[in-house]
Amino acid sequence: MALMTTRPWKHPKTGIYYLRRAVPADLLARVGKREEKISLGTKDPVRAKGLHASALLELEQRWANLRCGAASLSEREAHELAAPLSAWWFDQHRDEPSQQTFWRTDLGDGLWPRRPPGWSLRPAVGAALIEEAADSSVHARCAMEDWCSEQADALLKRRGLVVDETDRRKLARAVAAVMQRASLALHAAMRGEAVDVGQTLVVRPAMPTSAMATPPAEMAQNSLLPISLTALVEAWWREAERTGKAASTHEAYAHAFRLLVAFLGHDNAHRVTKHDIVRFKDHRLASRKRNGDLVSATTVKNSDLAALKAVFGWALDNGRIIENPALGVTVAKAAKVKLREREFTAEEARTLLRAASDLTPGRELPQTYAAKHWIPWVLAFTGARVGEIAQLRRQDLRRETVAGYPEGVWVLRITPEAGTVKTKQAREVPLHPQLVELGFPAFVEGGRGERLFIVPDVKGQIAGPLQGVKNRLSEFARHHVIDPGVSPNHSWRHRFRTVATEAGVSGNVIDALCGWSAKSVGERYGSVSLKARTDAIMRLPRIEV
């Protein structure tokens, strides 16, 4: 049931106040959602009350306009509707007026130029078009015109007005006139001249500035266009990183937005609609991966759409956009046909490990060859996630004294210091004797670089190279184990639990080795010692290939 509130609603996580109002039944089809949720852009409860009253009046007016259907817009009404943009624009740049570079006052009076009669029949029209295309001022003017049209659409949407194309253009021209006056006032302020904002800029907006069509934070940073989808992800990440979100999450979300930009053909966050997100979802469901398989519905739901919902939701809560276009878009959950267990069979494990052992260096990077040669073996005896092993450093392996093992034990430390660890907690996994016999410690100690299996990029980052190595490992495994019922890398993790359980290792020790969270409060008490972990690893049988 949609929420009906007569007072500001405080978001439980962000503390920002909102106007929330159920959409009347007769407007559901036109509005396209069951509830209006409008950010008031403040955490101050006193200020929120005044903004809530203004926003509620505006919302009621919008609904009244929608009930009236199509309307006509006079030039006077268009200028009155666009007037609040003037004060808002001036406020963005009043402190540093010289930094305003988007709106060019030398072009502001000449937008939407009209061609003279017979222009297209000129003998040299082709040369004129080529010359025009090379003129940078033409591109700047087009950007300004597009911006004004988008602001006009946003204003009409906020008021619930439905007008024809002529009146839409009329409002866009009114927006341009307001922007021109405000920008000229900024030029005067830049020269140190006194500017009477109250007279020059008409009126201040009655609506909360956080609900304006263009995000104040981006304009304050002198963005040449309304906020881009790419910039939106990066703005989200600047905050998410400080809350402990993993770099892999950033990469996954950024990838989803790159796919969206490529699909839409533009990078403007304010132009994205719910219909666009639905079309993108359908496009992704029909897309194929590099191996020719269709992208799974799970990937579209839990990766692509999850990323869009999270970032757009953050942008809405922080006043960057006026609605979350991904809200409510999902993929129906279908029952998955299971024809086999998810772990490798004993024969599949032997086949893959035999291929890894017999592999000879090719034209690929030495680190990629080493990954294919060693990582399957390490996964088989640690139950680790493939990324946790692929990002290993030389210092992550050490020899440790353990009671009952006089010659010491090689211990692998899986730690967030090396990269992404899902639980964000370091853990220690002793090496199985077969890994020692195969020479894994000698390989680690003989490494030249810090990273064993990846080469960081020019900025020293590992997210991209790490994903590349994981992809190569997946392709390598799939070449030898073709059954789609198993995951090329993750099935080692399933097999490890099965083998360890058969060897008599207790569940809490398996969880500690694999980095699984405790299932109950009681299991969170105490810890699994290095000796208990070593005893468990020593129980695992050798794998003869």
Side-chain angles (χ1 to χ4, degrees), residues 296-314:
S296 71
T298 300
T299 296
V300 177
K301 180 179 180 179
N302 297 340
S303 183
D304 299 332
L305 292 179
L308 302 185
K309 289 177 182 178
V311 175
F312 280 130
W314 172 88

Side-chain angles (χ1 to χ4, degrees), residues 254-422:
H255 177 67
F257 272 82
R258 286 195 295 270
L259 292 174
L260 178 63
V261 170
F263 171 74
L264 295 176
H266 69 77
D267 196 21
N268 189 338
H270 297 291
R271 291 174 56 188
V272 182
T273 65
K274 186 170 185 176
H275 179 62
D276 290 331
I277 302 300
V278 173
R279 291 193 302 112
F280 174 69
K281 176 197 73 172
D282 294 340
H283 163 74
R284 287 290 289 151
L285 289 172
S287 299
R288 295 186 179 274
K289 298 181 287 188
R290 294 200 311 172
N291 63 4
D293 294 340
L294 286 169
V295 174
S296 71
T298 300
T299 296
V300 177
K301 180 179 180 179
N302 297 340
S303 183
D304 299 332
L305 292 179
L308 302 185
K309 289 177 182 178
V311 175
F312 280 130
W314 172 88
L316 175 63
D317 289 341
N318 287 271
R320 305 275 180 128
I321 57 177
I322 60 175
E323 63 179 339
N324 181 349
L327 190 64
V329 181
T330 187
V331 177
K333 186 176 180 180
K336 207 168 187 178
V337 177
K338 182 178 178 181
L339 300 178
R340 55 164 295 171
E341 296 299 330
R342 298 179 66 182
E343 70 256 21
F344 290 130
T345 64
E347 183 55 38
E348 288 171 336
R350 284 193 292 268
T351 297
L352 188 49
L353 295 177
R354 188 183 306 118
S357 297
D358 295 342
L359 186 68
T360 56
R363 300 176 62 183
E364 58 198 358
L365 290 173
Q367 290 84 351
T368 305
Y369 161 74
K372 293 178 180 179
H373 180 73
W374 284 112
I375 290 181
W377 280 100
V378 177
L379 295 179
F381 285 113
T382 63
R385 301 173 181 88
V386 63
E388 295 172 338
I389 303 303
Q391 68 193 15
L392 283 177
R393 307 164 299 171
R394 278 191 300 163
Q395 62 264 40
D396 294 330
L397 182 68
R398 72 182 192 282
R399 199 174 185 87
E400 191 75 23
T401 300
V402 179
Y405 300 89
E407 296 183 359
V409 175
W410 287 99
V411 178
L412 200 61
R413 180 174 173 81
I414 297 172
T415 171
E417 297 171 323
T420 299
V421 176
K422 188 173 183 179

Side-chain angles (χ1 to χ4, degrees), residues 152-168:
D153 290 339
L155 290 170
L156 291 169
K157 182 177 181 180
R158 284 192 59 81
R159 296 298 182 91
L161 295 173
V162 180
V163 300
D164 60 21
E165 184 59 30
T166 299
D167 284 348
R168 176 178 177 271

Side-chain angles (χ1 to χ4, degrees), residues 192-227:
E193 299 175 8
V195 177
D196 188 340
V197 178
Q199 293 180 6
T200 305
L201 300 182
V202 192
V203 293
R204 291 188 177 276
M207 69 194 82
T209 54
S210 62
M212 298 296 286
T214 304
E218 286 300 310
M219 282 302 176
Q221 296 169 12
N222 306 305
S223 175
L224 295 183
L225 290 173
I227 187 168

